[in-house]
Amino acid sequence: MAPRRRSIRVGVRLRPAEGDAAWRVDGSAVVECPRADAYASQQRAPRVFRFDDVFDVCADNAAVYEQVAKDVVNDALRGSSGALIAYGQTASGKTHTMQGTPESPGLIPRAIVDVFKTYQRCRVSYVESYNERVRDLLGEADDLRVLDGGPVGRREVDVASVDEVFAAITRGERRRSVGATAYNTHSSRSHAILTLTLANNAILTFVDLAGSEATASAEGHCINRSLHALALVIAKLADGHGYVPYRDSKLTRLLRPALSGRVALVCTVAPDAGEETTNTLHFARRATRVHQTPVPRASPLVARYRQQMDALQTELQEPHEVLPPEPPGPAARDGVREAIADLERLIVAPVVVSATPVRRRGKSLPPARTLFFEPIDDDDDCAASPERLPPRAESPCSPPSTPSAPMDMAALREVQRKLQDALARSEPDENLFAAAEVLERLDKSEAENKVLKAEIARVSTILASRERELVKMKGLASPEDEVF
């Protein structure tokens, strides 16, 4: 059994306070500041939250990337998928940490630069979850279906440079849902998820979550509900047993593949926001307790190639326009005519059994003994001779009923082979139709000849039996009944 390991590295970053700070940084811990008001004497012992990394107001984006995110990016370059997630209240500095500024690039630009130092191409997708609807920021879809493997139908853009990735992100940011809040005039109101699929099949995910806030609007309610669902998922993962409610929200379903790999979580807090900062710190502490067994992930390129193969199979099964064959040359036409002539000569006419009329020489046999054939003269060399069979009705397409030599099957197969070769080199014309008719007549004649041969054999057997009966009865007849 594979060992369980910590899968989430947690860093907490404090932005500058606008008023009296309720929290301060003490090494790798965030400590509650003592109160200076009338309730200071009633305050309990200061609460302390310890994390992997803690950054005060003086830390820049470069330090956050080097300590928290760089190891995840390096693991992705070695083939292990990872995710960088920013969590915190509104206006606490999540977007600044993820995207940064031209003077101080954030985690996303720095990670992309490192990726393209190793690989020259990757694929980018950009979606957002807004009001429980998943929207493609690089495509036209406004309500994508989300499965356990991610959104279905999202657009992936092939990029070959850092500038192309930045252009795709800029195009997606123009479509992202933003709005004014009580904290700032340009606040992200959706959860944005940027995905990079590397050439080694690893997936690097960047998540900029919308901030929680106390609001009665439907938009704020959807944000708080999705963040609450994420907190429940983190709590269940920290417990290590029981059902994990990934399906409670579109956000958690989108983050399910990312949470199964290596994750770097950056929680941004405002020191002067007491209750919201406390909730964020509790969420970050639960994340430090998440231990998971590494799960091998199927290659996304394999699924992509399978889809392409299915599309090609479907395309092959569709009818295509058949190009007309090249006009046949004189040799091909002569070959068809020669094969038709050979088949005409080999067609066997129906067999006709000829016989001479029978003269009646004796009395009729007793009525109780009805025979197929009448008695014949015992002086004749042949013992008996059948009556003439009724002629077979001839079809308008059948050749005249003329006796012919027995069919040479070897010659027939050779002619059929020659005809097939000639047909393969010819275009449909009157010669081919005539050849098809000849083959049909030939098959019909063979079947009729088989029936006639079987009938002749049966009649010959009956004839021999009747001959023996006639000889016996002739010996029983009286001499005066003979007619000379």
Side-chain angles (χ1 to χ4, degrees):
M1 182 177 179
R4 292 165 55 86
R5 60 172 176 79
R6 277 195 56 189
S7 56
I8 300 181
R9 183 181 181 89
V10 181
V12 175
R13 185 180 189 183
L14 276 69
R15 71 165 176 80
E18 296 180 357
D20 295 336
W23 300 88
R24 61 182 178 86
V25 176
D26 184 7
S28 60
V30 179
V31 182
E32 187 178 17
C33 296
R35 303 184 64 164
D37 53 11
Y39 298 95
S41 59
Q42 303 177 5
Q43 185 181 13
R44 57 187 176 184
R47 289 172 290 183
V48 179
F49 295 88
R50 298 189 181 278
F51 303 101
D52 299 313
D53 303 285
V54 177
F55 305 94
D56 58 13
V57 296
C58 298
D60 57 2
N61 288 332
V64 177
Y65 177 77
E66 291 294 332
Q67 297 187 38
V68 180
K70 191 173 181 64
D71 290 341
V72 176
V73 176
N74 291 336
D75 287 347
L77 295 177
R78 289 190 290 266
S80 300
S81 298
L84 305 179
I85 302 177
Y87 180 93
Q89 69 185 82
T90 301
S92 61
K94 298 184 303 299
T95 302
H96 173 74
T97 301
M98 296 299 290
Q99 298 183 8
T101 61
E103 295 77 17
S104 178
L107 304 186
I108 295 177
R110 294 178 185 275
I112 293 173
V113 171
D114 286 347
V115 166
F116 276 88
K117 289 179 181 178
T118 304
Y119 298 106
Q120 284 71 41
R121 301 190 67 88
C122 65
R123 298 195 308 276
V124 178
S125 66
Y126 201 10
V127 300
E128 71 170 2
S129 175
Y130 177 71
N131 288 347
E132 289 300 306
R133 295 167 66 95
V134 179
R135 183 184 180 193
D136 190 356
L137 298 179
L138 299 181
E140 302 297 331
D142 291 333
D143 190 8
L144 294 174
R145 182 185 178 190
V146 182
L147 300 179
D148 293 339
V152 178
R154 63 179 174 179
R155 181 185 178 188
E156 287 187 314
V157 179
D158 292 329
V159 291
S161 65
V162 175
D163 293 337
E164 292 183 7
V165 180
F166 290 166
I169 296 175
T170 303
R171 185 166 66 251
E173 286 294 326
R174 294 195 186 103
R175 299 192 60 193
R176 188 177 177 184
S177 301
V178 296
T181 64
Y183 299 93
N184 53 31
T185 58
H186 191 78
S187 177
S188 301
R189 309 311 298 154
S190 66
H191 310 296
I193 301 174
L194 175 68
T195 302
L196 266 68
T197 303
L198 309 185
N200 61 355
N201 302 331
I203 293 181
L204 194 56
T205 306
F206 305 92
V207 184
D208 184 8
L209 298 174
S212 60
E213 61 181 56
T215 178
S217 64
E219 180 184 78
H221 174 70
C222 289
I223 293 174
N224 293 335
R225 185 176 65 179
S226 60
L227 292 176
H228 178 68
L230 178 60
L232 290 179
V233 168
I234 294 297
K236 283 294 183 180
L237 292 176
D239 292 341
H241 59 83
Y243 171 73
V244 181
Y246 285 109
R247 296 177 179 270
D248 288 357
S249 172
K250 290 289 184 67
L251 173 64
T252 52
R253 296 192 70 176
L254 286 171
L255 294 182
R256 182 173 185 174
L259 293 176
S260 63
R262 182 81 178 274
V263 179
L265 175 64
V266 179
C267 294
T268 57
V269 296
D272 52 346
E275 182 179 359
E276 292 293 338
T277 299
T278 302
N279 294 336
T280 302
L281 293 175
H282 280 296
F283 175 85
R285 184 164 61 181
R286 283 194 296 269
T288 60
R289 301 171 183 168
V290 175
H291 293 74
Q292 295 190 90
T293 301
V295 178
R297 179 182 173 276
S299 170
L301 289 181
V302 173
R304 188 183 184 94
Y305 292 154
R306 287 177 179 171
Q307 293 178 358
Q308 293 178 357
M309 290 175 62
D310 293 340
L312 291 174
Q313 290 289 347
T314 304
E315 184 179 353
L316 289 175
Q317 293 175 0
E318 295 178 354
H320 293 274
E321 181 181 0
V322 180
L323 297 177
E326 297 181 358
R333 294 183 180 274
D334 294 342
V336 173
R337 296 190 183 97
E338 180 182 354
I340 293 174
D342 293 340
L343 286 175
E344 289 282 4
R345 288 192 297 269
L346 287 173
I347 292 177
V348 179
V351 177
V352 179
V353 181
S354 60
T356 57
V358 179
R359 291 185 298 110
R360 187 177 182 83
R361 293 290 305 275
K363 282 186 175 182
S364 298
L365 297 176
R369 301 289 303 276
T370 303
L371 303 178
F372 270 82
F373 302 96
E374 296 181 1
I376 60 174
D377 189 3
D378 54 354
D379 296 334
D380 294 340
D381 296 333
C382 57
S385 185
E387 291 184 345
R388 181 184 300 272
L389 296 177
R392 179 178 59 86
E394 297 181 359
S395 61
C397 299
S398 61
S401 300
T402 57
S404 60
M407 182 181 299
D408 187 354
M409 298 306 296
L412 174 61
R413 296 294 177 257
E414 179 64 21
V415 172
Q416 287 180 338
R417 185 191 62 77
K418 292 169 58 178
L419 177 60
Q420 291 174 358
D421 294 342
L423 292 176
R425 302 192 303 270
S426 304
E427 66 177 356
D429 58 3
E430 63 278 0
N431 290 330
L432 297 185
F433 292 124
E437 182 180 357
V438 169
L439 286 175
E440 181 179 0
R441 288 160 54 189
L442 176 61
D443 295 338
K444 187 175 180 181
S445 297
E446 290 181 1
E448 291 175 351
N449 286 339
K450 292 179 181 179
V451 173
L452 287 176
K453 290 178 181 179
E455 184 67 21
I456 291 173
R458 188 179 68 84
V459 170
S460 299
T461 304
I462 296 174
L463 177 59
S465 176
R466 298 309 182 191
E467 180 183 3
R468 291 191 296 268
E469 292 180 1
L470 289 175
V471 172
K472 291 172 62 177
M473 292 188 64
K474 188 173 182 180
L476 297 176
S478 60
E480 54 270 23
D481 293 333
E482 297 288 340
V483 180
F484 295 98

